[in-house]
Amino acid sequence: MSDEKPPQLVDYFVVAGLAEASRALEEEQQPRPARPGEPITDVAVIIRSQGEEVPQGFTCIETSTSGHPVELNAGLLNNPQMFLCYKRGRDKPPLIELGVHYEGKDRPKPGYQILDTTPYSRSANLAAGSPGHQRTFLTFRRAAEPPGHHTLGVTDICLVIPSKGESTPHTFCRVDKNLNTSMWGPALFLCYKIAVAKDNTLVYEAGLLSRYPEQDSESFPLPESVPVFCLPMGATIESWPVGTKYPLPVFSTFVLTGASGDKVYGAAIQFHEAFPRERLSEAQALRLGLLSVVDRRPVPGRSLHTRKSICVLSHWPFFDVFRKFLMFIYRYSISGPHVLPLETHISHFMHNVPFPSPQRPRILVQMSPYDSLLLCRPVSSPLPLSGASFLTLLQNLGPDNAVALLVAVLTEQKLLIHSLRPDVLTSVGEALVAMIFPLRWQCPYIPLCPLALADVLCAPVPFIVGIHSSYFDLYEPPRDVIFVDLDTNTIFQSEERKLLSPRALPRRPCKVLLASLHSLSQQLDELLSAPGEEEPPELVLSDAEAAGARRAQLELEARAAFLRFMACALRGYRSFLRPIAPAPAPAGRDAGSLFALQGFLRSRERAYQRFYGQLLRTQLFTQFIEDCSFASDREPCLEFFDTCVDKVQVDLEKPEDTPLMELDDPRGGEHTVFITPPEQPAGPDGAEPPARYRYDGFPTLRPELLEPPRDPLVAQLCQARSSAPSSPAPRRTKQEMKVAQRVAQKSSAVPELWARCLLGHCYGLWFLYLPTHVRAAPAKLRALQLAYDVLRKMEQHKVVLPDEVCYRILMQLCGQYGEPVLSVRVLLEMKRAGIVPNTVTYGYYNKAVLESKWPAGTQGGRLRWAKLRNVVLGAAQFRQPLRQRQRRSAAGDPPGGQAPPAPRPPLQRQTTWAGRSLRDPEPGPSPRLVKSGSLSFPGSSRGEGETRAGPPLLPVTPTPAPPRPRGPPGSADGSLSDIGTDESGGDEPGAGPGAGGVTPRRGLAAKLQQLLSPGKRPSPRPAESPREPPGTRRGSEQRDGDPPSRRSPAETLLRPRERPESTASESSVSLGSELDLSDASGGSTGAPKSTEPPMDGTAGTEPPALEVLLSSCSRCPGCAGLVFDEELMAGWTSDDSNLNTSCPFCSRSFVPFLSIEIRDFRQPPSPPGAGPVPPSPQGPVLSDRRRCLELDETPELCNGCADTPPPGRWERVAFAYLSPLVLRKELESLVENEGGELLARPELVDSHPIIYWNLVWYFQRLALPSNLPLLLLGSQHAPRDPQPPEPSRVRVRLLWDVLSPDPESCPPLYVLWRLHSNIPPRLHPWGPPAPPFSLTFLEALLSHVGLNEVHKAIGLFLDTLAAPGAPRTLHRSIYRELLFLTLAALGREHTDIAAFDRRYRSALGKLGGALGRDELRRRRAQPPSAKATDCRRTFGAPPEC
């Protein structure tokens, strides 16, 4: 397990303020406009035509912003000459809002006062000169008393005339009601500015006062600029009048972006505290108004204060949680006394509050008896983590301005966002960079810019900067910037920097976006304006939770609206990506070489060429193309965007019904972790300790009072899964997992698709293991070529892959081992399969091609040597016939005559009982059967054909071999049947009686007649047998001129023939055979099965070091029925977390098990009392054919092995049998947590046995190469031997039937057939056979099956089960009993399982009318389902029974 720490909620706690080294900010930039003085406290209207003068202390507005004369009612006929006046001061609360009221039309707003009279008690009706017009008055709203020093107020008023070309000044609010209500005269509008009107303030750059922890973290050191972000307007020293109310703490957020693009979120609160006057110099006291200018005497009635900030830094935008915590810390510092110091609460929150995990998604932190906060895990989203709030964006700007800003961001303009609310700036700034997903802003981005960094506004590059609106009271802003005022919902554009109109955007996507935003804005207004009636506290709490959930839903819909627009705008972009196919040029990373810019531009409509032309020239689009072309950390996000592009329909004028974003909200879990407050120390004698901690201001943190971290608690609560150092290529993205889950759900309803879905996940398992296999392979290129061949074979068999992980892993390995050409071939294979690579796969492909070393363009000597080799080989082929003619002439051939060429023994499909196929000619005299099935003889010095004696023996370091097609050469049925040569050695020199008397193969009729009566043993074979003539053809060839003998099944089975003298009657499911029992007619789409000898080069004559027997046959706990492998597969569900399957008989869900028997031939026999030792499944393979046939005549021996326990140690275990979907999810989790290196270590067997044994089963089932069986040699199942045999080998055998039968159950029919044939079964603990199951009964069943009268066989079986003495419980279905019996008696080569299934279903239909389908099902006569049949056809049946 990696030692990486779990995610930490808070990284640093910082205290910022006025430090000793702080420098003044206001003296640096000169000149600057005058700071606004006192706020406006009163407004008045005077009528100069009535002789009214401007009141004392008031200022009259006589001109507009551009100097035009203005009168409030200039359009009236009598023109009473009314003017607006205002007054500044601090004697009363300032005005905070102005308005215009139309009497009779508008309803008075609460809190507003109507200015209805002049200072001289005349009517202030602005339409007084026209009796027919409605009465119009000015209104204002005043701040609450007593006013604070930092209270917002109206600081300036102006009048604008739009018809004169005047517009609303920057940072001014405009009242959208015309003051001139007459038909004559220009329109006149009132504008006012809101700001913090304060004086007697000194501004300094903020410094670091204290921090915790004091040491920097290696992964994230504390940035030096954090203090200036905590106090963006600087650390101030302010002089207040005595009695001024303290302002409330101001919450602000900011974002720091590292060099790698990682974001760090900060949350801070700013507050004021007293500042000692002794620390001021005389100059500072003069500027603060504390000393008189003339005589320098102290001014009474003034108090001194400074501004501080406390802040937390985190990689997670939990702004609400951090605000509650910081407010609690601030209130704790100004109250008291307390028992615990402030440092205890800070360290407790940082160390003991864990990050929410999937297991514990809710963390309830009790900070005090009255303060608590709830921390919920972030919503799992494929989008990048962000602190954006699209609702805040809509609330402050509206839908139209939001779309205008979208155009500005996409075309990389200079954006300056400002507001008087610093907490809003970060939310809106994050929304601006999030709305352009998947594009990523590449230019400077500072959502909350401090005054100390305001120089960035003069940068000649695009930027997105947020700043406090008071910046404009201090400095003159640049002219080429687009200003966004969040307080007035306005966008100011200069003449130098004009935005593209939203009409330049694609019409239909933009129309849908605007409609969605207008709808969301209306819903948000309804949510915010909901009436707050008096309700019980519990209802108020529930309503708050419902409102929070509603806001979260609206936030998701707003983000999805922008995502849909971007998907429509960039639709089809993947078809213009240019893969790097040849050797890359030095400018391989240039956007023009990676993307067809002009082709993409021509694919857009002509009306939108201007917008797309500017978009393609931006840095964000260039970076987007590089992210799509090369492997990066944004691959999951880009892959998710590709799925959104596939979902959207550009021509629609409304959003699609299918949501683009399907988020998994983990907060719905009920598991909540409760974090208690810090424990108070116990006083003497158990009394409560005294409260001795009181603070005059926020203190400097004392390290001795900080609690040490308790990492075990945090690790236990977090249970975070660390990332392993393995490559990210094997991992599926979250979107790929969701797509695979949906595909599995659809496939589960279609039998053929379900089988192929399972097979695709099995191949995905092997490709997850492929990096481990390639690392262990001595020839890397050969192993990669093997994987490529497997991909091609999968394409040939139309294997449905749920994702692109197989191709992606192979591409990554090609890049890792320097094979770019093979990577190109893999990409071409993907295109040939109709798969368009997603962003993740495409990135790994380009990385492999770009970073690998390409071969030289000219092969040089290598090519010339290859040409020379071909010439030499061609000349040798031409000379070969001449040499043969010379040999025949030297042997004395008659002149003019040519001797016939010696016939070569043909290859044919091997049968298990040495009989001919249906195409064999009539046998010659003295027929004799020879053994070839249960004992597969290796090649000997006599030249006999080699066959395999069992599953391949895996060497210590196997060399991967390319897959080979199943079946005999030239056969395309894809079965797992072995390829064998004719074992008749009559034409071999020296093959006589001493060599084992080889005879020609008999016809099928005699063999079946022998098999139907195995109880009668023939007499021992004679010592000699006639040899076959040298020219006789064998195998599946037909003699020239001899027509093939065709007989009906009845004639074949019932025609009396002479019984063979050999006793070798065996079946395809006999012990030791490795023949495929899969459906030969349908073929198998599994991986090819190698037919070559064992890879270690041995002949297989010595037993392996370990032999493993695997069986998936499981017993249902409900009905005690045996459920076989294909039925288990059919019962699995598409849920990748569900281990259960369903019983085909009782429909009960249960967990199937994989039974394993491990036999260690290196150890001595088990001591007495250690348990029974099972018999050996196969004796030693003998190369002497005569000795093998003599062993058959010995009753105590079977297959050349005595009926005694084999020497060695054995062990039986069982583990859960997992669906490929479940196994893949677990394997991905294992690789992610513990690394792929674990798959190559023996610890895998002991620490993760379920995953290990399931992988061994599936890889062996599909004949995919792996080193997993060899890991047993170092596990606890095989104790290490100080001197292990060389070479150490492990043989794995897969069984179809049970591994450990019930001793009390009756043996199945195929076992009874073997018992009647004097062939001991593989398993001994069978119970006594039932009396009705006699040899005559078995022969009758076989006769009915051979005559295609399967319904009679079923009826006979049912009648026999009802007879006295029959077993009460039938563990296997009637179908399974008849199928296994047929395979055991007739052999796999002469049994078509697909044809048997058809006949069985037809027979069941005949019996259904008489007995009823329910009765047949109750008596377990139904065949496997269509899904189970297709699973068997797709995977193939396990080789052995």
Side-chain angles (χ1 to χ4, degrees), residues 13 84 169 194 214 235-236 352 362 424 447 481 605 969 1194 1265 1357 1364-1365 1384:
F13 182 90
L84 178 63
I194 299 178
E214 295 183 352
T236 60
N352 298 331
R362 297 159 61 94
V424 175
V481 176
E605 297 183 21
T1194 308
F1357 203 147

Side-chain angles (χ1 to χ4, degrees), residues 927 1002 1006 1056-1061:
R1002 297 268 320 215
R1057 301 181 64 87
E1058 178 185 2
R1059 292 186 180 271
E1061 298 179 3

Side-chain angles (χ1 to χ4, degrees), residues 599-769:
F600 178 78
L601 192 60
R602 287 192 297 266
S603 66
R604 309 294 110 169
E605 297 183 21
R606 183 177 297 272
Y608 315 126
Q609 295 280 339
R610 184 182 178 187
F611 163 72
Y612 281 106
Q614 293 190 22
L615 176 64
L616 296 184
R617 291 192 295 270
T618 58
Q619 300 182 43
L620 51 89
F621 189 82
T622 302
Q623 184 62 39
F624 171 68
I625 295 303
E626 292 186 5
D627 291 340
C628 293
S629 301
F630 302 99
S632 66
D633 56 349
R634 302 187 68 230
E635 292 168 346
C637 301
L638 297 178
E639 197 269 339
F640 163 72
F641 179 74
D642 290 344
T643 61
C644 295
V645 173
D646 298 335
K647 291 180 181 179
V648 297
Q649 301 179 20
V650 184
D651 298 333
L652 294 181
E653 295 190 358
K654 63 177 182 178
E656 292 79 9
D657 296 333
T658 304
L660 296 183
M661 300 176 60
E662 299 175 359
L663 305 183
D664 301 329
D665 190 355
R667 292 176 291 183
E670 298 295 335
H671 196 168
T672 301
V673 176
F674 181 73
I675 304 297
T676 59
E679 299 181 359
Q680 295 184 358
D685 301 331
E688 184 177 353
R692 55 190 180 93
Y693 292 99
R694 179 187 293 273
Y695 307 99
D696 296 331
F698 201 89
T700 301
L701 301 182
R702 298 166 57 185
E704 65 272 11
L705 298 179
L706 294 167
E707 290 186 352
R710 288 183 287 177
D711 289 338
L713 173 62
V714 175
Q716 179 182 2
L717 294 178
C718 259
Q719 291 187 353
R721 308 169 78 133
S722 59
S723 299
S726 59
S727 169
R731 307 174 190 169
R732 289 182 295 175
T733 62
K734 292 183 179 180
Q735 193 62 28
E736 286 178 327
M737 294 180 183
K738 292 181 179 179
V739 172
Q741 189 69 18
R742 288 196 294 266
V743 171
Q745 291 175 358
K746 295 180 181 178
S747 302
S748 61
V750 183
E752 182 178 0
L753 294 181
W754 177 243
R756 294 181 181 273
C757 176
L758 295 179
L759 185 63
H761 281 278
C762 288
Y763 279 109
L765 290 170
W766 185 74
F767 276 93
L768 284 176
Y769 171 76

Side-chain angles (χ1 to χ4, degrees), residues 1404-1421:
L1404 210 63
K1406 297 179 182 179
L1407 296 176
L1411 299 179
R1413 294 186 178 273
D1414 294 339
E1415 178 64 20
L1416 291 176
R1417 183 177 180 85
R1418 186 186 66 82
R1419 303 179 70 174
R1420 299 183 182 178

Side-chain angles (χ1 to χ4, degrees), residues 95 232 358 430 1379:
L95 302 183
E430 285 283 276
L1379 174 63

Side-chain angles (χ1 to χ4, degrees), residues 59 282 324 452 490 734 832 939 947 1056 1409:
T59 302
E282 183 177 354
K324 294 179 180 179
T490 52
K734 292 183 179 180
R832 191 179 298 112
T947 60

